[in-house]
Every structure is written in C-alpha cells, then in structure tokens.
Amino acid sequence: MALPVSCLLVAMLFSASCKATTFSDQTCTEKEANKTYNCENLGLREIPDTLPNTTEFLEFSFNFLPAIQNTTFCRLTNLIFLDLTRCQINWIHEDTFQSHHQLDTLVLTGNPLIFMAETSLLGPRALKHLFLIQTGISNLEFIPVHNLENLESLYLGSNYISSIKFPENFPTQNLKVLDFQNNALHFLSREDLNALGATNLSLNLDSNDLKGMEPGAFHAKAFRSLRFGGILDVPVILKGLQNSTTQSLWLGTYWDTESQDLTPAMLEGLCEMSVESISLRRYHFSDLSATTFRCFTGLRELDLTAAHLKELPSGIQGMNSLQKLVLNVNHFEQLCQINAASFPALTDLSIKGNLEELDLGAGCLEKLENLRRLDLSRSGIKASDCCNLQLKGLHRLQHLNLSYAESIGLRSQAFQESPKLEVLDLAFIHLTVRVPQSPFQNLPLLQALNLSHCLLDASNQHLLEGLRGLRQLNLQGNHFQDGSLSKTNLLQTVAGLEVLILSSCELLSIDPQAFLGLGNVTHIDLSHNSLTESSVDALGHLKGLYLNLAANSLRIIPPRLLPILAQQSTINLSHNPLDCTCSNAGFLTWFRENLHRLEDAEETVCANPPSLRGVKLSDVDLSCGLTALGIFFLVVFLFLFTILLIFAVKFLLRWKYQHI
Amino acid sequence: MKGFTAAFLIWTLISPSGGAPPAWPTHTACKDSSLEVLYQSCDPSQDFGFSIDQCSQHLKSNINIRFGIILREDIKGLFLDASLLTGGESVLNYSYPICEEDLPNFSFCGKRKGEQIYYAGPANNIGFDIPKGNYQVLLKLYNEKHSMVACANATIICS
C-alpha cells in the first residue's frame, strides 16, 4: 500500500515541479494589441499559442529555431514584418512562407544558414526587404531566386562573398539598396557589374579589402550612392569608376583601417567621373595644394571631416558649384585659414568640433554672400566683441550655431550683419552682454533662440528687445534675480512666443502676471525649479498648453487652481513632493480622473505621509470627509444621546420632586 | 511515510531554484607583474570577450585590445561611459563617443543587431600611469537610443 501511494506522490511532485518551470518563463510583450509583438530572447522553440493570428509585426530574435518549414509560421498569415535575428536557423525548407502574402520584410541576420530551399521565399506577393547579414553565405547562388522581383533592399554584409556577380536570372531591376559591406570582394570586373542596371541604386562596398578593379568597370552606370569606405588603393578605385555617374561617393576611412596619404595625383580619377557629393573623411592629405582640388570642380558637396587639415590652400580655382562644405574635427587655428573666397557659391558651411581653439578673425567669410547655414559649434571659440566683424558679409545667413563656444561678448546689435537670421543657437556659451540694450535688435525674422546655460542674468528686461517674430525661446539654466520671475520681465518683448523653456532656472516663484502678454504660447517647460503651487496662478489665462512642472516643490494643490490645470492639454507633475493626505483630496481625485492628460504618471508619486511615500498617485484612494457609514453611526449616536438626555432629565425632575 | 519523505527530498533536489539570474563568470582581461585587470559582464542577457595586449602599470597610449561580442542592438551610434566607484558610489565619470552617426570612427560603426563583432586593434587611448591600489570601474556601452550594448564591472589591481 505504501509503495504505490509513494509512487503516486513522487509522480505528482514531479509534475508539480515541471509546472513551476513553465510559469517562470515570460511571455511575449504586446506593443500594439493584435498587431505588434516582441518575443525576443525568450528561448522559444516555436511560435507560442498566445500570439494572435492577426499579428503583423513580430520580433522573434534570439530564440531557437534550427529548422523552419511550412508549419512553423503557418498560423500567422497576416505577417508583414518578421525578425528572426540569431535564431540559430540552419535550414529554411520549402514553402515556409507560402501563406504569408503580405510579408514585406524578412530579417535573417546572424543565422548560420546551411541551406535555403528553392521555394522557401515563395508566398509573399511583394517581398521588399531581405536581410541576410552574417549568415555564412559565400556565393550569391545560395539565395533562392524565385519571387524576388519586387526586392528593393538586399543586405548581405559580413559574409564571405567573393564575387558580386549575380546569377543570370536574379532579378535586380527594382533594387534600391544593395549592401555588401565587410565581405571578401577583392576584385571587381566589368562583367561582375553587368546585372546592376538599376539606376538610383545605393551600393555599399565598405571594408571589403578591394585590391583591384578593372578600369572602367562601372562604365556608363548611374548610382544614387556608392560607398567604398576603408579602401586601400584609392587611385585604382577611381580608375574603375571612370565614366560613371553617382550622386554621392563615400570614400572615407576609419581609425582601425590602414589608409594611404592622398596626393593630388591620386585624386585625378575624379575628373573622369561625374560626382555631386564626395566624402574623404579621415584621410591624410600630403602635398596639399590647389592641385589637390583640381578635379573637385563639379562637386556640390565636399566632406573633409577629420582630414587633419590645418588650412585649405589658397588659389583653388573653379569650385563654383560647391554648395556644402564640411570641415568638422580638423585643426584650424584661424577661420581665415579656410580661404573661403575659393567657394563663392557656398550655402552651407560646417566647422564643428575643431580640435584647436578657433579664432574667428574679421571678415574671413566675407565673400560667402550666399551662405545660409553656418555651424561653428564645439570649436573652442573665444570672441570678446562679437559678432559684426566676424560675420561680415553674411547678409543672407539664416541659421547660425555657435553653441559650446568658450566665451562670447555681445555688443548691442551684435548680429547686424545678418538681419535674415531665423535660428540662433548660443547654448552653453559663457555669454557676456556688454550693454543694457538688447544684443538681438534688428533680427525681426528670428524664430528660434537657444540661450540655455549661458550664465545670463535673465532679470534683464531688455535682453530680448527687437525679437518680435520669436516663436521658440530656450532659457534653461539661466538665473533670475531672487529666483523670481517678476511681473515686468524679458518675456514682454516676445509676445509671439509659442514654445518657452525655463527649466533648471532655480526659480522659486512666478508673479501671477508674469505671462500676461503671451497669448500664443502652446508649450511651457518649468521643470527642475523650486516652484510651489502658487506659481500655477500665472497660467490662469492660458489654455491647451503642454505644461511641464516636473521636479519642482509642489505639495498641495488647492481646489481653486484645479480649473487652471484642467484647461491644459498635457501636464507633467512627476518628481514633486506631493501630499497624499486629506488636505489634498480634491487634487488627488482630479488626478485620478485626468490620467489621460498627465505625462509620466508612473513617476508621479507621493512624498507624504511616510506610509505612502513612493506610491503612485494614481494608486492612492483616500476616503476623506464623512462617509455614509460615518453618517449612519453619527445619527445612531445622536439618537441614543437624545434618549439618554430625556431619561436624565426625567430622573432629575423625579429626584427633585421626591425631595420637596 | 518513508516513500513520501524520499519523494519530497528528490523533488527539492531537482526543482528549479528561485528566479535569480546566473551571474556571468569573472574573466581576466590581462595580467602582468604590476597590473591585473578583471571583468564580469553585468548584462543579464549575455557575456562578452575582452583582452588587453601588454598591460602594465605605465599604460601606453594606443594599446591593442581584442573584443568579441554579439550585438543586441544596432550601433549607428556607440558610446562608452566609465565610472570609477568607491564604496558603490561613483566618484569619477568619463564619457566617450566611439561611433556617432555623422562621425563613424571605426569600421564596425553601423553594424546591426544580431551581428557578431570581433575587433582586434588600437584602442586610441591616452597613455598614463595607473596609481597603486585596487579600483572598481563600471563600464557601459550603449547606442544612440540609450539601449545597452554591453556592461561590465571591472576590477583593476595595481601593485
């Protein structure tokens, strides 16, 4: 008797422990109901039953599917996007996707594919994007040809492909993106490229160790973009590109790639091809002279980022088409060293992240009458008297970025040379305003001004005079006298503001009439200050705002302020020391009823009382005031009290009469 | 009764232990008479391989490193945050951009989720002398969307 019973018990306990393991597994997360699911990294060996048949976007990466066939995904016929990255897939058998007519994107990155059946990709009406990155492919014949007529992007990076020659029946006519980076393509011949007739193709051949190319291999072909990053032999590549046309040619190199120094002779091949935009990042130039630029004359864009340049040579001729010049992360000491006069048609100039302290000089960019955008950020600029001499001649300038300069001193009408400025970024500069008047006068078209962390005294009422068209203002990190935004303040001169950022300004209070003139404002950020509830009064006349009051000192919001909050469209009250006691009952009820308009409600937690500290406001349910039960007991108590009183009076009277 | 006890004991032996994730093993990145660098992955989903060529107390500039990992995220942007910890609190923070979308410094910048990376090459560091002592450093690699690519608790023992 004991033995069978104990066996039964053992069996029960075994099955109980098995159940325990399945419960500890997680299920897929739902991103959008009935549509988008993420089952990444769950150790799944099959599609879980919990996924609905209507699933359209499925991320299934980092699971375990050694072989996929027509039964694997058969239930999910509505799939549009399927990510099977690193699922250890070895075999893709026939008709795996036969019922997936809407499948548009298939990601098979990182699977050690041994075999793909001929009909494995049949089924989708228009498979557009196929990712076969790092799947061990060494020959393009591995990819089954059937049903790829609509293919737009084919990613074959990090494989062992040695020849770019597509099999004869491989449909390439609709290809827009073809990515062969990091393969074993050592040589390209003209025959290899025969199949690539599509125009508007972006072909990526980065990091391929290309040792040679047949001269004229790309003859008479037109591309949207060609990438030959990390190439060892530039002249050979350019010779192969003879008589070809491309909108963009990326010839940059990397820190971990050995590359030659470019001499003027090496770049001569550019004269034989048609290029609009070229990037030569990270190359060293030796014998840098005007001759280096001889074949750049047709260019519209030139990127010489991190090219170890100390100057651009003078005497460069014929660069009349150049519109965009990128000279980031170089070693210029003076702005005049770029010899800007060589590029008269320039509309866009960027010298970001210069590795030396850049001296702006005077009138260095004077000949650039057409310049619209100028980015000189993060270049260690020091200019004590800015900016009319430095910006001389830039009458058409619309965007100016000087952020992260060391220090700039602004005189009055500092931007007189560029009255058409629309966007001005002066963030994180030690800014000195030398005069009581506004330095921004005569900028009627300015729409966005970024003055964050400029160590300004924001109490200067005249700071923004003249900016009648200003729509966006960022004053983050600047301080007001006494931590107070008073009734007369700098915002009065910018009544058209739509976006106002006053975060991290160490504000303690806001005068109720401080925002009176701002009728058009739609976004106010007052986060990371020390404001109390009284500051909400200042927003009484504003409706439909995005209002950010996160990380302030709001405790108890009195009922009279609730209508002001209720008339805004989105509010953020997170990280405030909010009270969750009955004195804040009205606000707590309002909060629970208005969760749809509250941003970061999960981070909006109680600070008081200690028993409720850290609890989300949306989870708090207080009962304050008299409840129905309380009223009942009160009535009963009063009734009993009245009866007791009557008896006491009766007793007293009787006792009195007895003693008469 | 005996059977019941036996069954119970067997069950406790084979049933899964609580939900605590297994910690990854501690590896040695390099070892030398004067310097030892150990690390342990703090990414719950995976471990990674890392070693430093020729480490010494006088750390040379541009040392050669080897690094192998499976990417769990695309790395169009890749950033390194290093914090020096004492008693669990960070006292020194250092942030460095390895790949940026408009400035890919290395050939592996832009690789996609699921690819494995093996990098053997210079680290582009500055040379400096490591002062004697034991240090705890927390290293985090994350992409432009702030998703974790790698995480390591490193111990530097310099004697």
Side-chain angles (χ1 to χ4, degrees):
Chain A
M1 178 63 190
L3 191 58
V5 168
S6 49
C7 282
L8 183 67
L9 280 169
V10 169
M12 278 171 58
L13 287 164
F14 266 114
S15 56
S17 73
C18 282
K19 268 239 163 63
T21 30
T22 47
F23 276 134
S24 69
D25 272 351
Q26 294 157 302
T27 47
C28 302
T29 48
E30 178 180 282
K31 294 260 179 86
E32 201 183 323
N34 279 337
K35 220 174 159 200
T36 310
Y37 291 85
N38 185 320
C39 301
E40 271 187 26
N41 206 15
L42 296 174
L44 296 168
R45 286 164 183 260
E46 57 178 11
I47 297 289
D49 293 327
T50 49
L51 278 183
N53 294 355
T54 49
T55 306
E56 288 177 13
F57 295 85
L58 178 59
E59 280 169 55
F60 205 75
S61 41
F62 297 99
N63 284 302
F64 192 68
L65 295 171
I68 57 177
Q69 56 258 335
N70 56 2
T71 49
T72 317
F73 306 106
C74 60
R75 199 166 57 76
L76 306 176
T77 51
N78 284 359
L79 278 179
I80 297 177
F81 172 94
L82 179 59
D83 185 348
L84 295 169
T85 301
R86 287 246 161 220
C87 279
Q88 320 269 12
I89 302 174
N90 292 139
W91 313 95
I92 306 184
H93 293 304
E94 49 280 348
D95 303 321
T96 304
F97 301 105
Q98 64 179 350
S99 23
H100 300 89
H101 303 304
Q102 286 161 314
L103 194 64
D104 166 272
T105 307
L106 180 59
V107 182
L108 292 164
T109 303
N111 288 297
L113 297 177
I114 301 175
F115 188 75
M116 282 177 82
E118 279 302 306
T119 57
S120 54
L121 295 176
L122 275 184
R125 278 195 214 109
L127 188 65
K128 293 230 179 85
H129 311 286
L130 182 58
F131 289 75
L132 289 166
I133 301 171
Q134 209 166 68
T135 46
I137 296 178
S138 52
N139 193 320
L140 286 172
E141 288 181 8
F142 183 87
I143 310 167
V145 154
H146 297 296
N147 203 25
L148 294 179
E149 288 80 27
N150 296 323
L151 206 60
E152 285 181 10
S153 353
L154 181 57
Y155 291 86
L156 293 166
S158 303
N159 282 306
Y160 304 104
I161 300 169
S162 53
S163 166
I164 200 180
K165 188 171 174 186
F166 278 97
E168 264 186 39
N169 43 0
F170 200 104
T172 54
Q173 61 270 25
N174 284 328
L175 277 178
K176 294 207 178 102
V177 175
L178 190 52
D179 188 336
F180 276 103
Q181 63 177 302
N182 201 19
N183 274 287
L185 296 167
H186 298 304
F187 189 84
L188 292 180
S189 71
R190 196 187 280 213
E191 208 198 326
D192 288 343
L193 296 163
N194 257 342
L196 297 180
T199 49
N200 247 348
L201 180 65
S202 299
L203 178 61
N204 187 337
L205 295 169
D206 277 357
S207 303
N208 262 296
D209 236 7
L210 264 178
K211 293 204 168 68
M213 220 150 96
E214 189 180 332
F218 283 79
H219 180 90
K221 291 201 185 300
F223 293 87
R224 167 173 274 171
S225 96
L226 284 174
R227 284 185 68 113
F228 288 95
I231 288 298
L232 289 175
D233 200 337
V234 170
V236 161
I237 303 303
L238 291 179
K239 209 146 184 222
L241 290 171
Q242 249 174 30
N243 270 330
S244 66
T245 310
T246 177
Q247 282 177 26
S248 148
L249 180 61
W250 206 91
L251 280 178
T253 187
Y254 307 104
W255 274 342
D256 57 327
T257 312
E258 278 189 34
S259 51
Q260 319 153 302
D261 287 2
L262 293 177
T263 62
M266 286 176 168
L267 294 169
E268 264 167 19
L270 282 172
C271 280
E272 313 288 324
M273 63 179 294
S274 168
V275 192
E276 281 182 25
S277 156
I278 190 172
S279 171
L280 288 164
R281 286 169 176 239
R282 286 209 181 282
Y283 272 106
H284 283 259
F285 288 87
S286 61
D287 304 331
L288 185 70
S289 66
T291 333
T292 313
F293 291 76
R294 189 175 75 83
C295 293
F296 288 8
T297 48
L299 289 178
R300 285 233 195 105
E301 290 184 20
L302 175 59
D303 185 343
L304 294 171
T305 300
H308 313 272
L309 295 169
K310 289 207 167 75
E311 57 168 16
L312 287 185
S314 54
I316 295 174
Q317 303 248 339
M319 301 277 293
N320 300 318
S321 326
L322 196 70
Q323 290 178 352
K324 183 170 173 180
L325 179 59
V326 181
L327 295 169
N328 301 341
V329 196
N330 278 300
H331 295 264
F332 299 111
E333 280 167 19
Q334 302 196 10
L335 189 54
C336 280
Q337 284 168 320
I338 70 166
N339 279 307
S342 315
F343 317 104
L346 216 55
T347 57
D348 215 305
L349 175 61
S350 175
I351 311 182
K352 272 194 332 192
N354 196 53
L355 297 170
E356 312 283 341
E357 197 181 289
L358 185 65
D359 179 353
L360 294 179
C364 293
L365 305 177
E366 200 174 349
K367 297 283 188 253
L368 301 181
E369 315 173 323
N370 290 315
L371 199 67
R372 298 254 155 76
R373 303 173 79 103
L374 178 58
D375 190 337
L376 296 168
S377 56
R378 294 182 193 264
S379 289
I381 291 172
K382 281 196 192 135
S384 55
D385 191 358
C386 202
C387 298
N388 289 323
L389 276 178
Q390 293 85 349
L391 300 179
K392 192 156 172 230
L394 299 179
H395 304 303
R396 294 217 177 93
L397 200 62
Q398 289 173 348
H399 282 243
L400 176 60
N401 188 345
L402 292 168
S403 59
Y404 293 90
E406 265 303 309
S407 61
I408 292 188
L410 295 176
R411 49 157 66 210
S412 91
Q413 301 212 39
F415 299 94
Q416 205 175 282
E417 285 289 311
S418 313
K420 296 214 172 119
L421 269 182
E422 289 174 14
V423 176
L424 180 55
D425 191 340
L426 297 170
F428 288 92
I429 306 176
H430 185 170
L431 214 56
T432 326
V433 178
R434 301 165 136 247
V435 289
Q437 302 99 353
S438 161
F440 305 113
Q441 275 154 352
N442 266 345
L443 292 179
L445 297 177
L446 198 68
Q447 297 202 2
L449 177 59
N450 187 344
L451 291 170
S452 61
H453 296 277
C454 284
L455 304 176
L456 285 173
D457 174 16
S459 307
N460 178 359
Q461 299 167 32
H462 305 287
L463 185 64
L464 304 173
E465 250 164 29
L467 296 176
R468 344 179 253 282
L470 199 65
R471 300 247 174 86
Q472 296 184 32
L473 176 62
N474 188 339
L475 284 169
Q476 178 179 9
N478 293 296
H479 296 162
F480 292 80
Q481 216 169 43
D482 304 327
S484 150
L485 185 59
S486 53
K487 184 167 143 194
T488 41
N489 56 50
L490 75 177
L491 299 173
Q492 264 132 12
T493 49
V494 285
L497 267 190
E498 289 169 13
V499 175
L500 173 60
I501 301 177
L502 286 169
S503 54
S504 309
C505 289
E506 290 184 10
L507 281 171
L508 296 167
S509 66
I510 301 181
D511 187 286
Q513 299 195 19
F515 297 135
L516 209 52
L518 302 178
N520 284 347
V521 70
T522 56
H523 178 124
I524 298 188
D525 186 345
L526 292 165
S527 58
H528 293 94
N529 285 299
S530 303
L531 295 168
T532 58
E533 340 24 273
S534 52
S535 52
V536 179
D537 275 317
L539 306 160
H541 61 292
L542 299 168
K543 289 191 176 58
L545 283 182
Y546 166 89
L547 173 62
N548 191 338
L549 281 165
N552 275 290
S553 302
L554 299 173
R555 267 175 225 286
I556 298 174
I557 317 272
R560 69 178 174 85
L561 293 177
L562 290 177
I564 300 180
L565 293 180
Q567 68 196 23
Q568 313 309 341
S569 72
T570 311
I571 307 178
N572 190 330
L573 292 165
S574 58
H575 301 283
N576 276 293
L578 293 162
D579 215 80
C580 292
T581 60
C582 284
S583 43
N584 213 7
F587 169 68
L588 290 168
T589 316
W590 178 86
F591 188 92
R592 268 201 322 280
E593 287 164 7
N594 283 280
L595 281 173
H596 56 279
R597 59 168 98 222
L598 285 158
E599 195 183 58
D600 280 350
E602 287 95 57
E603 311 274 335
T604 317
V605 300
C606 302
N608 233 356
S611 57
L612 286 177
R613 185 170 295 164
V615 172
K616 284 191 264 193
L617 247 70
S618 47
D619 291 341
V620 169
D621 194 1
L622 296 177
S623 47
C624 299
L626 286 174
T627 59
L629 198 63
I631 294 171
F632 172 73
F633 277 117
L634 188 68
V635 165
V636 167
F637 174 74
L638 281 171
F639 181 69
L640 287 171
F641 181 76
T642 323
I643 294 183
L644 212 67
L645 194 67
I646 292 170
F647 271 111
V649 164
K650 252 191 170 168
F651 181 75
L652 268 169
L653 284 171
R654 201 183 286 163
W655 185 84
K656 204 176 177 182
Y657 277 118
Q658 275 179 344
H659 282 82
I660 287 173
Chain B
M1 190 58 207
K2 280 195 202 151
F4 180 86
T5 327
F8 179 76
L9 287 168
I10 294 168
W11 177 71
T12 51
L13 277 171
I14 50 179
S15 67
S17 56
W24 297 109
T26 305
H27 307 284
T28 309
C30 71
K31 196 167 176 172
D32 179 83
S33 52
S34 54
L35 184 68
E36 189 176 352
V37 180
L38 309 166
Y39 72 93
Q40 183 189 37
S41 171
C42 41
D43 181 349
S45 46
Q46 64 176 13
D47 197 355
F48 66 89
F50 178 65
S51 70
I52 306 174
D53 235 8
Q54 283 190 331
C55 66
S56 70
Q57 194 244 334
H58 304 286
L59 199 71
K60 292 195 201 92
S61 71
N62 236 8
I63 46 168
N64 278 327
I65 59 167
R66 297 194 306 131
F67 180 61
I69 195 170
I70 293 177
L71 286 177
R72 296 247 160 191
E73 303 288 340
D74 290 353
I75 51 168
K76 279 206 195 77
L78 185 65
F79 304 91
L80 173 68
D81 271 359
S83 342
L84 184 61
L85 305 167
T86 41
E89 297 287 317
S90 126
V91 291
L92 203 68
N93 274 328
Y94 179 67
S95 199
Y96 185 70
I98 300 176
C99 302
E100 288 170 275
E101 278 191 71
D102 57 353
L103 192 59
N105 289 327
F106 292 91
S107 56
F108 54 73
C109 295
K111 286 208 178 214
R112 290 177 183 263
K113 174 179 90 169
E115 287 197 59
Q116 92 197 33
I117 297 191
Y118 175 70
Y119 174 72
N124 243 300
N125 60 306
I126 45 164
F128 64 98
D129 283 347
I130 305 175
K132 283 199 187 2
N134 282 18
Y135 308 97
Q136 293 286 105
V137 182
L138 177 64
L139 297 155
K140 284 199 179 137
L141 273 177
Y142 54 93
N143 73 355
E144 72 279 5
K145 296 190 183 129
H146 289 276
S147 305
M148 190 196 284
V149 171
C151 177
N153 272 317
T155 309
I156 303 177
I157 303 169
C158 187
S159 49

